[in-house]
């Protein structure tokens, strides 16, 4: 094998798994007065899969706290986080 040959890879580089998998659960009815959101509600609001949302909560990408095995995010913390996301460079 020639060391300058291309490394074999997927046929389509865009078929790689994405960390932005969309939410695929049932529609969630969120109380507009709620001050705390569950994992499922956060995933629904951000249109992320439950797995990705869990990972982001666990690593601090999305603000939240684990209480008794359940993830909770405050409306205020999520709003602050959302308002401070960069608006350039492909985010929007």
């Amino acid at each position: 094998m020639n060391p300058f040959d291309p490394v074999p890879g997927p046929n389509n580089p865009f078929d790689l798994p994405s960390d932005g998998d969309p939410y695929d659960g049932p529609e969630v009815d969120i109380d507009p007065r709620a001050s705390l959101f569950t994992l499922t509600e956060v995933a629904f609001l951000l249109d992320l899969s439950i797995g990705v949302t869990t990972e982001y909560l666990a690593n601090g990408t999305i603000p939240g706290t684990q209480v008794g095995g359940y993830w909770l995010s405050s409306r205020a913390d999520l709003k602050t986080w959302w308002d401070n996301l960069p608006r350039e460079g492909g985010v929007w």
Side-chain angles (χ1 to χ4, degrees):
M1 176 176 178
N2 182 331
F4 300 104
D5 286 343
V7 176
N11 293 335
N12 179 352
F14 299 104
D15 285 343
L16 298 174
S18 168
D19 69 351
D21 293 335
Y23 177 78
D24 61 357
E27 187 164 331
V28 178
D29 186 25
I30 298 174
D31 182 347
R33 299 163 298 176
S35 60
L36 290 175
F37 297 116
T38 65
L39 165 68
T40 303
E41 291 169 334
V42 172
F44 177 76
L45 288 168
L46 299 178
D47 193 24
L48 295 172
S49 71
I50 296 292
V52 169
T53 305
T54 301
E55 181 181 332
Y56 285 173
L57 285 162
N59 71 21
T61 301
I62 297 173
T65 304
Q66 196 169 23
V67 179
Y70 296 93
W71 282 103
L72 297 173
S73 293
S74 78
R75 178 185 295 270
D77 288 348
L78 280 174
K79 181 177 179 346
T80 299
W81 170 78
W82 182 264
D83 289 345
N84 289 307
L85 286 174
R87 301 293 187 236
E88 297 176 10
V91 174
W92 294 109

